[in-house]
Amino acid sequence: MSSAAAPTLSLPGDPPGGRRAAWVWGIGVAVYFVAIIFRTSLGVAGLDAADRFDVNASALSTFSILQLLVYAGMQIPVGLMVDRLGTKKVLALGAVLFTLGQLGFALSPSYGMALASRALLGCGDAMTFISVLRLGARWFPARRGPLIGQVAALFGMAGNLVSTLFIARALHGFGWTTTFAGSSVAGVVVLVLLLLFLKDHPEGHEPPPVEHAGAAYVRKQIAASWREPGTRLGMWVHFTTQFPAMVFLLLWGLPFLVEAQGLSRSTAGELLTLVVLSNMAFGMVYGQIIARHHAARAPLALGTVAMTALLWASVIFYPGDHAPMWLLIVLCVVLGACGPASMIGFDFARPANPPERQGTASGIVNMGGFIASMTTLFAVGVLLDATGGNYRIAFASVFVLEAVGVVQILRLHSRATHRERDHHVVSRVEAVHVPV
């Protein structure tokens, strides 16, 4: 029997999926899509923001660091909110917050107000992805989980594509205020769709009531999720795989390609677009592989880290003044695999936790990559200022976090897979004895 056989089992009570599930889930994905447009819009506006607010590299990186700090800090609270309040309420609150944040960023007259707007945007953004994962788990059979997660991430990267293709052009065509204020209308549109049509779960598949006991319940949920090796492994997989591409797309990719590699802004923008397109392609491939062969999860994650480190080193330590275009292209293609690889973290945490803890466990996993991204964004900004703009030294900080993450993945992998195998045996036995 292949390694795919076990995950394809449909347990009693699995939601049926179908067209209605796709429609409802699609609304949730649309909210996430808009959140990603808003999150990554700064990545193509970094140089404009530096000019508009007259700030240096460290202050510029603070925009993204604060946004990610809020995002990472909100992950466990959001997971608990989703488990307790349901998807619709949390997504609606998120849409309101990230729309106000984007509008505030458009109208901010000062650096301080712009920072506050990005923090508000980060808070709303933090409520989207975990909610979409929970929505997929409530509307689709469990065996579809890996593919549904990768497809959600793929649509998120499509939002990044909108930023690199349209936000960048609109900035130069219409200016700062018109571009960011105009884009905030998309937040209003998805909020209306969400309020009118989204439902937490299909009829007949209501989750069992869960006792909530204030702070004691919160501590219990977090502790129980953290005790599972699969949750911790998922967090470290997310930590190690996601951040190189996030740092490149969210802020430092465009300045690096323009200032260190001597490319024009239009060519640099095309390379950022290549990262996004590559991400979408890898997302479909990784989702199909993992859905069929669960044993491929760790090799895919570690292989992605190894290839990313190799290409990153090849570019920043290239002996000439500038890396050749073919090498930059290969780097951008490989960076596209980082996002899909980070989704593997959720595939370790999902089978390790019962339905009532899925939001909390997903929040813990999702913290990983954003903590790594935030740390690296800060390190790059500080090192650039300290070295007079030496990208080789600044970008080498990536290797430190990758090494830490790989050590933790190797340490936890065996424990997590043994624990998951035990859970699966129990599930099969229970499924056999449940009357149909």
Side-chain angles (χ1 to χ4, degrees):
M1 184 177 294
S2 72
S3 60
T8 61
L9 178 68
S10 291
L11 300 178
D14 253 6
R19 290 184 178 179
R20 184 150 185 259
W23 162 248
V24 173
W25 177 75
I27 294 172
V29 170
V31 178
Y32 175 57
F33 171 79
V34 173
I36 292 293
I37 294 175
F38 292 178
R39 179 202 299 174
T40 58
S41 57
L42 182 61
V44 296
L47 297 177
D48 300 86
D51 292 338
R52 179 179 177 86
F53 300 111
D54 191 24
V55 294
N56 61 15
S58 297
L60 180 61
S61 67
T62 303
F63 277 124
S64 296
I65 291 168
L66 178 61
Q67 183 179 331
L68 294 184
L69 178 64
V70 172
Y71 187 104
M74 287 290 294
Q75 289 309 293
I76 291 178
V78 168
L80 291 164
M81 288 170 63
V82 171
D83 287 337
R84 182 166 188 173
L85 302 177
T87 301
K88 184 171 184 175
K89 292 178 181 178
V90 177
L91 266 181
L93 178 58
V96 170
L97 293 178
F98 68 60
T99 301
L100 290 175
Q102 185 78 341
L103 181 61
F105 196 56
L107 304 176
S108 294
S110 66
Y111 176 68
M113 289 189 66
L115 274 179
S117 297
R118 295 307 287 187
L120 189 63
L121 192 157
C123 187
D125 180 20
M127 299 181 179
T128 58
F129 189 62
I130 293 176
S131 297
V132 171
L133 288 180
R134 172 65 173 260
L135 194 66
R138 291 298 188 197
W139 281 89
F140 290 95
R143 67 181 184 274
R144 302 293 184 193
L147 186 59
I148 291 298
Q150 289 286 0
V151 172
L154 185 150
F155 277 99
M157 288 310 297
N160 202 327
L161 190 62
V162 169
S163 290
T164 58
L165 289 178
F166 299 108
I167 299 292
R169 294 180 182 178
L171 274 169
H172 297 289
F174 302 105
W176 180 279
T177 302
T178 301
T179 297
F180 283 102
S183 65
S184 66
V185 174
V188 177
V189 172
V190 294
L191 176 62
V192 171
L193 289 174
L194 183 161
L195 294 174
L196 290 177
F197 300 111
L198 191 138
K199 291 190 64 177
D200 284 344
H201 47 72
E203 291 81 1
H205 291 272
E206 293 80 2
V210 178
E211 292 292 332
H212 299 286
Y217 167 77
V218 170
R219 288 194 298 270
K220 180 181 177 182
Q221 285 286 89
I222 295 173
S225 296
W226 183 254
R227 277 197 300 268
E228 291 292 343
T231 304
R232 283 176 280 143
L233 175 60
M235 186 196 74
W236 283 109
V237 167
H238 201 269
F239 177 100
T240 314
T241 54
Q242 186 203 45
F243 78 96
M246 177 71 73
V247 167
F248 201 79
L249 288 172
L250 198 60
L251 184 60
W252 291 120
L254 187 69
F256 169 72
L257 294 171
V258 173
E259 297 175 354
Q261 297 301 317
L263 302 181
S264 67
R265 288 180 64 136
S266 61
T267 303
E270 290 170 358
L271 286 175
L272 295 181
T273 302
L274 177 61
V275 177
V276 177
L277 292 174
S278 173
N279 183 296
M280 297 170 74
F282 274 112
M284 294 304 295
V285 173
Y286 278 25
Q288 292 287 351
I289 291 173
I290 295 166
R292 289 175 168 82
H293 306 285
H294 257 36
R297 291 173 297 177
L300 278 178
L302 291 172
T304 301
V305 173
M307 288 301 298
T308 302
L310 175 63
L311 268 299
W312 196 270
S314 299
V315 168
I316 66 173
F317 296 125
Y318 190 78
D321 291 336
H322 305 305
M325 179 58 71
W326 68 265
L327 186 55
L328 294 174
I329 291 173
V330 176
L331 170 66
C332 290
V333 171
V334 171
L335 285 176
C338 292
S342 73
M343 292 298 300
I344 296 172
F346 297 101
D347 294 321
F348 281 113
R350 187 183 301 110
N353 292 274
E356 63 270 17
R357 287 208 311 263
Q358 288 294 323
T360 306
S362 295
I364 292 172
V365 171
N366 212 26
M367 285 177 61
F370 289 93
I371 289 173
S373 298
M374 179 177 59
T375 303
T376 310
L377 284 167
F378 176 74
V380 170
V382 170
L383 289 170
L384 283 174
D385 284 340
T387 61
N390 189 322
Y391 277 93
R392 287 183 173 178
I393 295 175
F395 272 27
S397 59
V398 166
F399 304 125
V400 177
L401 275 74
E402 285 185 325
V404 171
V406 168
V407 169
Q408 293 298 326
I409 291 171
L410 295 175
R411 184 178 69 85
L412 289 164
H413 180 256
S414 178
R415 272 186 278 173
T417 51
H418 284 138
R419 178 80 165 165
E420 182 178 320
R421 193 176 300 118
D422 292 342
H423 280 322
H424 180 66
V425 169
V426 172
S427 297
R428 287 180 65 91
V429 171
E430 291 176 348
V432 169
H433 289 88
V434 172
V436 178

